[in-house]
């Protein structure tokens, strides 16, 4: 293959002068160069392998209506999923070639309004800017690439060349390009139109492994318009040029990555799917804190658009949509999943699986949509019976000897979700007045929950559960799975001693600077587990500053996260460089800082007065959705005193409003009756103002 030929030539110690180490950046992506350079922080010892192990961090951008996003990494390299290619942006001026490996500096930021990415390549005498964002065209929605350069040059008539370089690989390795051709404004790869050019390229050159790299074009300036290769090693360059004073923007469109997706839906359902992926921009202003949380919240709400696509129904995505008041969007995904349930209640490919009933109940609490529950009640009962007959009975009737290890490695959370779904089904039945129909589910819930608690307590007492970190890094994952019983499932009450003990064990054995170690097979720090742990700590009123600071430091310049990172370099080393699961958990974490509902109680600002992260809280919530209705809240801090003003529009009045504070704060005023029990402040629901004072050490 082409990559093997490259590696063989590189390791030939200069036998071919063209492939000398000084020109590696012209031939290979910078992540490959860095991870094979012993002097670079990303160096990985071992054999040379053409796969990105050291810098798997990127940002996903999706065209409206497309299922597959386009990815842009931190070097500014664009990756397409179909065909699997990479697109590099080069600039040539005054006999100097700039590529992603040798730009003096590359800066990125997320464009909140367009939902795209702005990348700036700094040059010695100017800059090159690239914007990649969804473009709404009359015919269809596509991804647009806009290039613009500004060069300060003493040679006013020396042209500047801006080029797109198409490579037969992505960060997962080689992907063959057997044919490449430019024709009628389109670049065709393997007989498929991939790029559409708004104006005719002035420079064009296609090559393969036999003829050398496209850098030869800048030596001879002789081009061609197509190439083929039996080994799939085609590579190409298409460029534009002008003198520095007359440079103008260049626009290229990325053709749809999944043109067949719409054919799977009727026109009516397709339009509904598009509505479900539209997120109103007004929710960007729900939260203002004056801290680094604000840009992360707004960017990740916009990043949701890259994962709100037809055919997907991640339970945590639905929970995010529910809890930020986007119930019209989550309703479509719930209906899509419920319609895929089998005749026997099996989830099939519904996407929600064991969590579907729980997230539907979560939807009902926020929206109050009783008709949705009534319409799908027969389906919900089928799911409940399937859980009882297929899963629950098989779990709870095993002997202790056989179950002692059956819960390991993912069984904890699975069983806890079954418990939560059965409990939620019983609650929904009570709301509909169908108590007799759901009694069987309540009974199974009690049996399973009792046995699960006993098993978890036995696991806590297991002397092997406190083994040293190097021997059992997967223990952190197991403990976070156990902690899901506390949050988000809320099966165990706040302050449960077992929950607090598990949090302490994670902090003692499985944290690095606030991040939870990944299971040993994967290495690094797992950011999804870290965000999930932080939610539980907030709910329990613990100190979470180190965890939140770690997540903020691990965020990319566009405020996204990979699934796993190197804890020292903070670069992605996992499978997904912009992981939706981390995105969902981070948004749920941000919400839990300000609002948590516990039964008929509303916990306000549960994460604010328990952590040193908030030295001077100045927080505003605007029309913020809760289970009880929407609220608006504003805090002002003057000196040591923080005043909270609350405006509520409760549709269902909570029994109590709860504030959790640590020993550094005390209440100095409230305009309603309150009860103080240690660090728990209980107020009547007619509360409008309360003041806290921070005690000086």
């Amino acid at each position: 293959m082409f990559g093997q030929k490259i590696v063989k030539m590189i390791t030939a110690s200069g036998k071919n002068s063209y492939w000398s180490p000084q020109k590696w950046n012209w031939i290979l992506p910078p992540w490959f160069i860095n991870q094979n350079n012993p002097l670079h922080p990303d160096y990985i010892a071992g054999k040379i392998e053409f796969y990105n192990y050291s810098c798997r961090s990127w940002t996903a951008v999706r065209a409206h209506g497309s299922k597959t996003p386009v990815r842009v990494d931190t070097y500014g390299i664009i990756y397409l999923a179909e065909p699997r290619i990479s697109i590099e942006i080069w600039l040539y001026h005054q006999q100097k070639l700039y590529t992603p490996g040798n730009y003096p500096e590359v800066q990125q930021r997320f464009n909140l309004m367009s939902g795209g990415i702005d990348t700036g390549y700094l040059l010695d005498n100017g800059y090159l800017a690239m914007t990649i964002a969804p473009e709404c065209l009359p015919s269809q929605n596509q991804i647009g690439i806009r290039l613009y350069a500004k060069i300060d040059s003493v040679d006013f008539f020396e042209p500047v060349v801006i080029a797109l370089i198409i490579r037969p690989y992505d960060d997962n390795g080689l992907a063959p390009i057997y044919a490449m051709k430019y024709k009628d404004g389109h670049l065709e790869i393997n007989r498929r139109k991939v790029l559409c050019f708004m104006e005719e390229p002035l420079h064009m050159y296609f090559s393969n492994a036999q003829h050398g790299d496209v850098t030869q074009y800048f030596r001879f300036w002789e081009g061609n318009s197509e190439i083929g290769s039996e080994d799939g090693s085609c590579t190409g360059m298409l460029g534009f040029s002008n003198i520095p004073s007359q440079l103008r923007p260049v626009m290229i469109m990325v053709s749809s990555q999944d043109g067949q997706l719409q054919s799977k839906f009727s026109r009516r359902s397709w339009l509904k799917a598009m509505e479900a992926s539209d997120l109103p921009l007004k929710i960007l202003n729900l939260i203002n804190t004056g801290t680094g949380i604000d840009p992360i919240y707004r960017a990740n709400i916009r990043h949701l658009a890259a994962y709100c696509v037809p055919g997907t129904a991640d339970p945590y995505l639905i929970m995010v949509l529910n809890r930020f008041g986007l119930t019209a969007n989550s309703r479509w995904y719930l209906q899509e999943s419920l319609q895929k349930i089998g005749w026997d209640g099996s989830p099939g490919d519904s996407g929600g699986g064991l969590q579907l009933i729980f997230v539907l109940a979560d939807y009902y609490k926020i929206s109050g949509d009783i008709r949705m529950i009534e319409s799908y009640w027969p389906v919900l009962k089928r799911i409940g019976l399937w859980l009882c007959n297929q899963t629950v009975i098989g779990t709870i009737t095993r002997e202790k000897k056989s179950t002692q290890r059956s819960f390991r490695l993912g069984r904890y959370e699975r069983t806890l979700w079954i418990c939560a779904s059965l409990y939620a089904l019983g609650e929904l039945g009570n709301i509909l007045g169908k108590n007799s129909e759901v009694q069987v589910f309540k009974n199974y819930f009690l049996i399973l929950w009792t046995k699960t608690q006993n098993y978890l307590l036995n696991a806590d007492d297991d002397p092997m559960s406190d083994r040293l970190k190097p021997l059992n890094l997967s223990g952190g994952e197991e403990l976070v799975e156990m902690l899901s019983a506390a949050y988000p499932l809320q099966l165990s009450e706040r302050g449960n001693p077992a929950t607090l003990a598990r949090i302490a064990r994670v902090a003692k054995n499985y944290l690095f600077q606030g991040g939870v170690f990944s299971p040993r097979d994967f290495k690094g720090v797992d950011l999804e587990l870290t965000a999930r742990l932080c939610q539980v700590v907030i709910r329990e009123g613990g100190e979470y500053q180190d965890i939140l600071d770690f997540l903020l430091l691990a965020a990319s310049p566009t405020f996204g996260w990979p699934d796993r990172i190197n804890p020292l370099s903070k670069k992605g080393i996992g499978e997904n460089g912009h992981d939706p699961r981390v995105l969902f958990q981070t948004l749920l974490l941000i919400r839990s800082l300000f609002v948590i509902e516990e039964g008929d109680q509303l916990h306000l600002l549960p994460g604010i007065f328990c952590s040193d992260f908030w030295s001077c809280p100045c927080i505003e919530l605007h029309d913020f959705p809760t289970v009880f209705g929407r609220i608006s809240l504003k805090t002002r801090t003057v000196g040591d005193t923080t005043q909270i003003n609350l405006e509520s529009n409760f549709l269902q009045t909570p029994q109590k409003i709860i504030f959790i504070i640590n020993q550094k704060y005390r209440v100095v005023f409230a305009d309603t009756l309150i009860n103080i029990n240690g660090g728990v402040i209980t107020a009547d629901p007619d509360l409008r103002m309360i003041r806290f004072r921070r005690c000086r050490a």
Side-chain angles (χ1 to χ4, degrees):
M1 289 296 292
F2 182 40
Q4 295 172 338
K5 294 181 179 179
I6 292 177
V7 172
K8 185 177 180 180
M9 289 174 128
I10 290 176
T11 56
S13 302
K15 290 182 179 180
N16 188 323
S17 60
Y18 182 74
W19 293 78
S20 62
Q22 289 75 18
K23 297 182 179 180
W24 282 10
N25 289 352
W26 293 9
I27 308 301
L28 298 168
W31 48 259
F32 180 86
I33 303 298
N34 295 338
Q35 71 188 24
N36 288 286
N37 180 0
L39 301 179
H40 196 275
D42 293 342
Y43 173 68
I44 297 178
K47 65 178 182 179
I48 297 177
E49 187 173 348
F50 197 76
Y51 183 91
N52 185 358
Y53 288 104
S54 60
C55 190
R56 298 183 65 81
S57 301
W58 55 73
T59 308
V61 180
R62 184 180 64 87
H64 187 58
S66 175
K67 189 173 182 179
T68 306
V70 173
R71 299 175 291 130
V72 184
D73 72 5
T74 53
Y75 296 106
I77 302 175
I78 304 167
Y79 298 101
L80 305 188
E82 188 59 40
R84 279 179 51 204
I85 61 170
S86 62
I87 303 174
E88 301 176 2
I89 310 301
W90 290 7
L91 186 140
Y92 183 84
H93 181 57
Q94 292 181 336
Q95 297 185 349
K96 186 169 185 178
L97 179 63
Y98 294 92
T99 73
N102 65 4
Y103 284 109
E105 186 178 354
V106 178
Q107 298 177 349
Q108 280 186 330
R109 70 180 182 91
F110 183 73
N111 191 312
L112 198 61
M113 297 310 298
S114 68
I117 306 164
D118 298 331
T119 303
Y121 308 87
L122 301 186
L123 312 174
D124 297 330
N125 58 343
Y127 66 86
L128 169 64
M130 176 184 72
T131 297
I132 178 166
E135 297 288 339
C136 296
L137 302 177
S139 57
Q140 58 182 322
N141 299 306
Q142 296 179 325
I143 295 292
I145 303 173
R146 183 180 183 272
L147 301 172
Y148 175 73
K150 182 174 178 59
I151 306 295
D152 297 323
S153 175
V154 295
D155 191 346
F156 300 105
F157 300 103
E158 178 71 22
V160 178
V161 179
I162 303 173
L164 279 74
I165 310 301
I166 292 83
R167 298 296 201 183
Y169 50 73
D170 60 11
D171 46 21
N172 290 321
L174 295 162
I177 298 179
Y178 297 106
M180 187 181 297
K181 177 173 66 173
Y182 178 84
K183 181 180 179 181
D184 299 331
H186 290 86
L187 175 66
E188 297 181 8
I189 295 178
N190 296 338
R191 300 183 180 181
R192 174 176 179 169
K193 293 181 179 179
V194 176
L195 298 178
C196 175
F197 292 80
M198 299 295 101
E199 62 180 271
E200 197 75 10
L202 299 179
H203 307 274
M204 199 179 309
Y205 180 69
F206 300 99
S207 185
N208 56 33
Q210 181 179 357
H211 295 91
D213 193 54
V214 293
T215 49
Q216 293 185 101
Y217 178 79
F218 298 105
R219 298 165 61 188
F220 305 111
W221 299 95
E222 296 178 358
N224 56 4
S225 61
E226 63 179 304
I227 194 83
S229 172
E230 293 182 355
D231 62 0
S233 63
C234 293
T235 183
M237 183 209 72
L238 298 101
F240 305 85
S241 65
N242 213 326
I243 61 175
S245 62
Q246 296 184 13
L247 289 172
R248 62 181 186 273
V250 175
M251 191 72 178
I252 305 101
M253 307 303 298
V254 180
S255 300
S256 175
Q257 295 284 285
D258 38 27
Q260 301 300 317
L261 181 61
Q262 183 171 353
S263 63
K264 300 179 182 180
F265 299 83
S266 66
R267 177 168 177 78
R268 182 177 180 182
S269 63
W270 176 257
L271 293 175
K272 288 184 177 180
M274 293 304 96
E275 293 174 1
S277 63
D278 268 336
L279 304 179
L281 294 180
K282 65 180 182 180
I283 67 169
L284 297 177
N285 299 317
L286 286 180
I287 300 170
N288 288 287
T289 68
T291 69
I293 289 176
D294 293 348
I296 285 180
Y297 162 71
R298 296 188 179 99
N300 280 278
I301 287 291
R302 291 290 278 153
H303 284 320
L304 272 180
Y307 301 103
C308 288
V309 296
T312 61
D314 188 287
Y316 284 108
L317 167 62
I318 297 175
M319 289 175 63
V320 169
L321 296 175
N322 290 340
R323 298 186 180 191
F324 284 96
L326 301 171
T327 52
N329 303 73
S330 60
R331 178 187 174 90
W332 188 89
Y333 292 103
L334 286 167
Q335 288 178 324
E336 183 186 35
S337 298
L338 288 166
Q339 290 167 4
K340 295 178 180 178
I341 296 297
W343 64 270
D344 60 346
S346 58
D349 61 347
S350 63
L354 303 175
Q355 303 103 319
L356 187 55
I357 294 178
F358 180 87
V359 296
L360 178 60
D362 189 69
Y363 162 82
Y364 168 75
K365 291 176 183 178
I366 298 288
S367 67
D369 185 1
I370 191 67
R371 292 185 179 180
M372 177 83 160
I373 309 301
E374 292 173 339
S375 301
Y376 288 97
W377 181 245
V379 179
L380 299 180
K381 287 197 299 181
R382 292 206 308 267
I383 298 173
L385 290 172
W386 181 83
L387 289 174
C388 293
N389 294 329
Q390 301 294 326
T391 310
V392 177
I393 291 179
T395 301
I396 66 179
T397 58
R398 290 188 183 126
E399 297 179 0
K400 183 177 181 181
K401 184 178 292 185
S402 63
T403 59
Q404 193 64 24
R405 295 300 174 190
S406 66
F407 279 80
R408 299 281 187 187
L409 302 176
R411 293 290 293 176
Y412 295 115
E413 189 174 13
R414 185 170 183 269
T415 306
L416 291 169
W417 273 101
I418 295 172
C419 291
S421 293
L422 290 173
Y423 180 81
L425 187 57
E427 293 294 303
L428 293 176
N430 292 341
I431 293 169
L432 296 179
K434 301 181 183 294
N435 299 46
S436 60
E437 296 183 24
V438 297
Q439 191 59 47
V440 63
F441 306 124
K442 294 179 180 179
N443 293 338
Y444 271 115
F445 161 72
L446 291 173
I447 296 171
L448 180 63
W449 178 229
T450 301
K451 287 185 175 289
T452 302
Q453 289 185 93
N454 291 335
Y455 178 82
L456 295 181
L457 290 174
N458 290 336
D460 288 335
D461 295 334
D462 183 357
M464 295 298 291
S465 63
D466 275 327
R467 288 177 290 177
L468 296 176
K469 290 180 288 185
L471 299 177
N472 187 30
L473 292 181
S474 61
E477 180 184 31
E478 296 170 1
L479 286 169
V480 173
E481 286 184 3
M482 293 183 190
L483 289 171
S484 63
Y487 200 80
L489 302 181
Q490 295 178 315
L491 291 168
S492 59
E493 71 280 4
R494 182 184 174 276
N496 184 291
T499 299
L500 299 178
R502 289 165 192 152
I503 292 174
R505 284 175 57 196
V506 175
K508 177 183 178 181
N509 296 328
Y510 304 107
L511 285 190
F512 178 84
Q513 298 178 351
V516 180
F517 281 113
S518 298
R520 182 172 54 183
D521 292 342
F522 298 107
K523 301 180 182 179
V525 168
D526 190 303
L527 296 182
E528 180 189 7
L529 295 178
T530 302
R532 289 174 57 182
L533 173 67
C534 192
Q535 294 175 59
V536 181
V537 175
I538 291 170
R539 192 236 189 182
E540 299 300 325
E543 175 59 78
Y544 57 86
Q545 182 178 15
D546 289 346
I547 305 175
L548 187 56
D549 283 342
F550 186 90
L551 284 170
L552 296 180
L553 287 173
S556 72
T558 57
F559 304 114
W561 289 270
D563 49 359
R564 298 188 304 277
I565 63 169
N566 181 317
L568 299 178
S569 69
K570 302 296 188 294
K571 294 180 180 179
I573 58 173
E575 180 180 353
N576 199 332
H578 188 187
D579 192 64
R581 296 168 300 177
V582 182
L583 185 155
F584 302 152
Q585 295 297 338
T586 302
L587 286 174
L588 292 173
L589 184 163
I590 291 174
R591 185 185 189 273
S592 67
L593 289 169
F594 309 110
V595 168
I596 292 179
E597 298 90 345
E598 297 275 357
D600 56 4
Q601 297 179 344
L602 176 61
H603 288 233
L604 286 181
L605 307 180
I608 304 306
F609 300 105
C610 295
S611 173
D612 291 336
F613 183 86
W614 306 89
S615 58
C616 183
C618 294
I619 298 164
E620 295 183 15
L621 304 181
H622 303 283
D623 204 26
F624 197 88
T626 74
V627 165
F628 306 101
R630 292 186 176 266
I631 63 170
S632 293
L633 178 149
K634 186 173 184 178
T635 70
R636 291 184 178 179
T637 300
V638 179
D640 297 328
T641 303
T642 299
Q643 176 173 302
I644 302 172
N645 295 92
L646 174 66
E647 296 180 6
S648 57
N649 184 20
F650 292 136
L651 301 177
Q652 175 188 351
T653 304
Q655 183 179 2
K656 294 293 181 180
I657 294 177
I658 308 294
F659 294 92
I660 308 297
I661 62 175
N662 60 23
Q663 67 274 13
K664 298 180 181 179
Y665 286 92
R666 62 185 179 91
V667 181
V668 295
F669 173 80
D671 66 351
T672 190
L673 184 65
I674 65 171
N675 178 54
I676 302 176
N677 183 11
V680 180
I681 314 300
T682 305
D684 286 343
D686 59 349
L687 176 73
R688 292 294 176 268
M689 184 175 68
I690 188 170
R691 293 194 191 107
F692 296 97
R693 178 167 294 165
R694 187 180 179 95
C695 304
R696 297 182 179 179

